[in-house]
Amino acid sequence: MIIATAGHVDHGKTTLVRALTGVDTDRLPEEKRRGMSIDLGFAYADLGGAQPAGFVDVPGHERFLRNMLVGVAAVDFALLVVAADDGVMPQTREHLAVLDLLGVRLGAVALTKADRVDAGRIAQAAQQIAALLAPTGLQGAPVFPLAATTGAGVEALRMHLAQTQRTLAARATSGNFRLAVDRSFTLAGAGLVVTGAVFSGSARAGDALLLSPAGVPVRVRAIHAHDRPAEQASAGMRCALNLGGDLKRVEVGRGDWIVAPAAHAPTMRIDARLRLLPDAGQPLAHWTPVLLHIGAAAQSARVALLEGRSLAPGGEAHVQLVLDRPMAALHGDRLILRAQASQRVIAGGVALDPLASDRRVARATRLARLNALAHGDAARALSALLATEPQGIALDSFVRGRNLDAGEAGRLRQTVDMRVVDAHGGMLALASQRWRDLLSQALAALADWHARQPDSLGLAESTLASRLHAHALPGLARAAVQELIGQGAILREHLLLRLPSHRARLPAPDEALLARIVPLLREAGLRPPIVGELAAALGMERAALIPALDRISRLGYLQRVAPNRYFLPDTVEALAAIAAELAQASADGEFDAIAYRNRSGIGRNLTIEVLEHLDRSGYTRFAGGRRRMVG
Ligand SMILES: Nc1nc2c(ncn2[C@@H]2O[C@H](COP(=O)(O)OP(=O)(O)O)[C@@H](O)[C@H]2O)c(=O)[nH]1
Ligand SMILES: [Mg+2]
């Protein structure tokens, strides 16, 4: 269990932590001199649980709010400290607002300096505090009047903490490992040590992790959890990791994350649900500059409003946070915003889409998307998302943004009624119904073609793909066609697709002519005769042959590769196979025309014509004097 203090400066936070743990957390010389906490203090105390409880003592002075925000970023329990003589003060309110925005629901109030006031004042202060807590997540938290300097009343608080620790369920270690670094230092003989709270997952000595958002590989050498050597660092613990790796050229410190590679997702745009505090002062305008805090990190950002022209104090809205440099964030991360001018906390919320796009999408679509993402359960979120995205969802980035580990991602694929397609270098998830629609569209488009062009053998794959309502993603249309071919619902003959029931018929004279042409072309192998030679062999006029060849080609029985030369579809496929072999055999997957000429033996001029035909037919792509296979 991690417990953090909160409250106004001089109300007795540090004194209380010392009374509970025996540790003076004001360890900096400047803190000693000024008698005031500046940075975070850490202490551990055995409350009788399986593990010591971790205490984070935060500074109360408004100038050190940045440090306070780091201290409370990952707490199970908030200890709000209010001096009985002063009562509620500005940082009492501000710290409470922060705890509320972070979603902290477990806590207690220490009413300190009870030795300085009478019972009437204690009752009055307790009442004031209860009213302050009422609209927050800490509503009804118990109040413990005490004097930390004498120890009076401290035992009751300690027993309450021990009782809470016993009943607090161990935090689920789901997700991939993430630790928010709040300190780093070098230990003689050991090297770099970072400390911080583990937000999710677990790690063991020997694990290969990443420094995020920088992306530098590190290795865990040793682990301390709650001040003791440990096998494992798990969610809900404060840990120190001794790290190895090539860390000479990088600075590691507060605000960095140490994460499992699967949780590394630096981002420049975060879509979030935001709540503006009732006492934020003024409405939040579009493009307001802010300081954004996530975990132990803070950096400047702009708030782009996704709904409405401005957000009124006390209101909630979807926003996009636009960053000036990459930040590590994942779905569900709590965020706090401070006004850049006043440095005051003005708003907070939760990250919904950490890998948000800058694509301009219709407002309604975008809001539907964010509402889908707001589901706490990943399977429900994905199902809702699939309903809003007919072109599919990039499954890998959903899984990464949601911080699902391999097991969770596997279960997701089993639970959600979806079809996952390998399209264009990534896994695309589609609602099952949408996939079935796509398949029936393909069959309908083909049937329609056959009805209109009964003489044609069929449709080229690219033409069929362009007739599906999935133009934005050619890979998706191709996957649908492949699936139908695999099922036998569509046949591929030569380069053309047709329904199994379709039998194309040429007009009788053309059919008779084709029957004489096929053997002549076949006999010529990879290098069919030019039209003049073909006409001579058939005993026909060249001028009469050309229109017949064009008619036959339009229906797919021949292919016009060059103005003067017609090929059998089989021959074109054989020529494409040669291209594929050359590409396969070359290190970079590319080949040039000379290699093709040498391999095919069809001569220089015909090589160029054939290769250009393969480009046009979608077999190959030409760039920089070389070709590679498509798909
Ligand atoms: N009389 C009395 N003084 C206290 C009590 N708790 C703290 N103090 C004094 O209040 C001053 C500020 O305490 P400190 O713990 O530094 O406050 P923080 O700024 O909230 O950490 C110190 O001089 C403490 O000795 C208490 O319960 N009774
Ligand atoms: Mg202090």
Side-chain angles (χ1 to χ4, degrees):
M1 179 163 80
I2 305 177
I3 301 162
T5 61
H8 201 73
V9 64
D10 250 6
H11 276 199
K13 296 180 291 300
T14 303
T15 308
L16 179 57
V17 169
R18 190 173 48 209
L20 288 165
T21 67
V23 177
D24 180 6
T25 54
D26 280 352
R27 63 209 145 75
L28 300 175
E30 196 188 348
E31 291 178 319
K32 296 260 187 255
R33 200 174 60 244
R34 293 168 69 176
M36 179 173 80
S37 309
I38 293 171
D39 204 349
L40 298 172
F42 302 101
Y44 298 88
D46 190 347
L47 298 177
Q51 254 189 359
F55 286 81
V56 182
D57 182 34
V58 310
H61 196 283
E62 57 177 326
R63 273 188 46 213
F64 309 120
L65 185 62
R66 154 96 174 93
N67 296 338
M68 182 273 175
L69 290 171
V70 174
V72 295
V75 296
D76 301 299
F77 190 98
L79 192 52
L80 184 64
V81 175
V82 184
D85 48 357
D86 276 356
V88 171
M89 295 289 279
Q91 268 61 54
T92 317
R93 295 180 191 280
E94 187 167 43
H95 288 193
L96 179 63
V98 166
L99 294 170
D100 192 35
L101 290 172
L102 290 173
V104 178
R105 309 188 74 84
L106 209 52
V109 179
L111 194 53
T112 55
K113 308 195 184 180
D115 53 321
R116 288 198 185 163
V117 297
D118 60 22
R121 172 64 196 160
I122 288 178
Q124 192 189 13
Q127 214 167 28
Q128 187 193 18
I129 292 165
L132 188 69
L133 297 187
T136 75
L138 289 174
Q139 180 202 19
V143 178
F144 295 89
L146 52 85
T149 38
T150 66
V154 173
E155 207 40 45
L157 173 61
R158 186 200 309 278
M159 279 169 64
H160 179 72
L161 295 176
Q163 165 72 18
T164 307
Q165 188 185 30
R166 271 196 298 280
T167 52
L168 194 69
R171 191 112 49 105
T173 55
S174 56
N176 300 296
F177 182 76
R178 293 172 88 205
L179 176 144
V181 177
D182 49 39
R183 273 185 310 167
S184 74
F185 48 87
T186 309
L187 270 189
L192 180 71
V193 175
V194 299
T195 70
V198 182
F199 275 55
S200 61
S202 62
R204 300 177 152 268
D207 280 2
L209 304 174
L210 287 177
L211 173 69
S212 193
V216 178
V218 296
R219 190 167 288 279
V220 181
R221 287 194 186 134
I223 300 174
H224 265 66
H226 287 210
D227 234 15
R228 294 176 178 172
E231 291 278 298
Q232 184 165 308
S234 307
M237 296 178 178
R238 278 198 55 80
C239 294
L241 305 182
N242 176 206
L243 296 177
D246 188 9
L247 295 164
K248 287 190 190 66
R249 272 179 300 279
V250 284
E251 296 239 355
V252 184
R254 180 169 294 178
D256 284 320
W257 294 81
I258 304 296
V259 304
H264 174 58
T267 180
M268 297 288 282
R269 289 166 186 277
I270 302 167
D271 282 354
R273 179 84 182 156
L274 205 67
R275 176 153 64 94
L276 193 62
L277 289 176
D279 55 6
Q282 53 188 16
L284 185 74
H286 183 71
W287 214 240
T288 299
V290 294
L291 285 169
L292 167 63
H293 295 257
I294 298 179
Q299 70 182 62
S300 14
R302 297 266 181 180
V303 186
L305 295 177
L306 299 178
E307 38 186 347
R309 289 178 182 280
S310 75
L311 177 58
E316 282 193 32
H318 285 118
V319 301
Q320 181 166 88
L321 298 160
V322 182
L323 308 173
D324 54 4
R325 60 197 160 85
M327 192 174 194
L330 293 177
H331 171 88
D333 281 353
R334 295 286 177 162
L335 33 102
I336 297 286
L337 299 189
R338 289 201 285 158
Q340 212 147 60
S342 70
Q343 305 277 302
R344 298 266 57 89
V345 171
I346 53 166
V350 57
L352 294 178
D353 186 359
L355 300 167
S357 82
D358 58 351
R359 200 156 50 97
R360 289 203 164 269
V361 290
R363 176 166 295 203
T365 312
R366 173 166 235 151
L367 294 180
R369 205 181 135 69
L370 290 176
N371 284 328
L373 280 165
H375 282 297
D377 177 57
R380 286 189 60 195
L382 184 56
S383 302
L385 211 50
L386 292 173
T388 71
E389 289 282 347
Q391 302 292 346
I393 295 295
L395 191 57
D396 302 338
S397 68
F398 177 85
V399 165
R400 183 171 290 261
R402 207 82 191 186
N403 192 22
L404 304 181
D405 64 26
E408 292 162 332
R411 278 193 293 285
L412 186 72
R413 286 180 74 148
Q414 280 166 8
T415 326
V416 178
D417 186 16
M418 65 179 175
R419 170 67 191 224
V420 180
V421 178
D422 188 353
H424 267 315
M427 300 316 264
L428 204 61
L430 285 173
S432 294
Q433 186 54 49
R434 163 74 177 136
W435 176 250
R436 285 191 293 272
D437 288 350
L438 213 54
L439 298 186
S440 20
Q441 271 173 32
L443 292 175
L446 210 46
D448 180 60
W449 173 259
H450 290 325
R452 286 166 197 265
Q453 305 281 342
D455 295 334
S456 156
L457 273 184
L459 263 180
E461 186 179 316
S462 55
T463 318
L464 179 58
S466 72
R467 290 174 189 219
L468 305 187
H469 300 301
H471 328 293
L473 289 168
L476 188 54
R478 197 168 306 136
V481 170
Q482 289 307 329
E483 166 108 351
L484 289 167
I485 291 174
Q487 291 175 1
I490 288 184
L491 297 183
R492 189 205 294 276
E493 232 166 41
H494 309 305
L495 295 175
L496 298 174
L497 304 174
R498 68 171 172 89
L499 295 177
S501 55
H502 177 72
R503 291 277 177 275
R505 285 206 62 85
L506 283 174
D510 285 351
E511 195 168 334
L513 179 61
L514 183 61
R516 295 174 60 211
I517 292 173
V518 169
L520 293 172
L521 296 186
R522 186 140 285 149
E523 196 174 289
L526 295 178
R527 204 175 181 342
I530 56 173
V531 175
E533 294 166 353
L534 191 58
L538 292 165
M540 277 176 81
E541 285 298 320
R542 187 175 180 279
L545 180 57
I546 288 177
L549 288 174
D550 284 340
R551 271 199 313 278
I552 294 171
S553 298
R554 266 199 300 281
L555 300 185
Y557 294 86
L558 293 175
Q559 286 189 38
R560 185 167 176 261
V561 170
N564 211 14
R565 235 189 269 264
Y566 293 76
F567 283 56
L568 291 171
D570 285 349
T571 310
V572 174
E573 282 193 1
L575 290 163
I578 293 175
E581 273 171 39
L582 288 171
Q584 182 97 51
S586 101
D588 60 358
E590 299 187 345
F591 62 93
D592 60 16
I594 296 175
Y596 193 89
R597 184 197 61 192
N598 293 341
R599 177 74 177 72
S600 65
I602 58 175
R604 195 171 63 117
N605 293 342
L606 189 54
T607 287
I608 300 304
E609 287 171 339
V610 163
L611 289 176
E612 285 176 355
H613 182 77
L614 294 181
D615 292 343
R616 280 195 302 276
S617 307
Y619 281 108
T620 49
R621 187 176 297 131
F622 181 66
R626 293 165 68 77
R627 281 185 171 75
R628 54 170 54 250
M629 301 307 288
V630 175

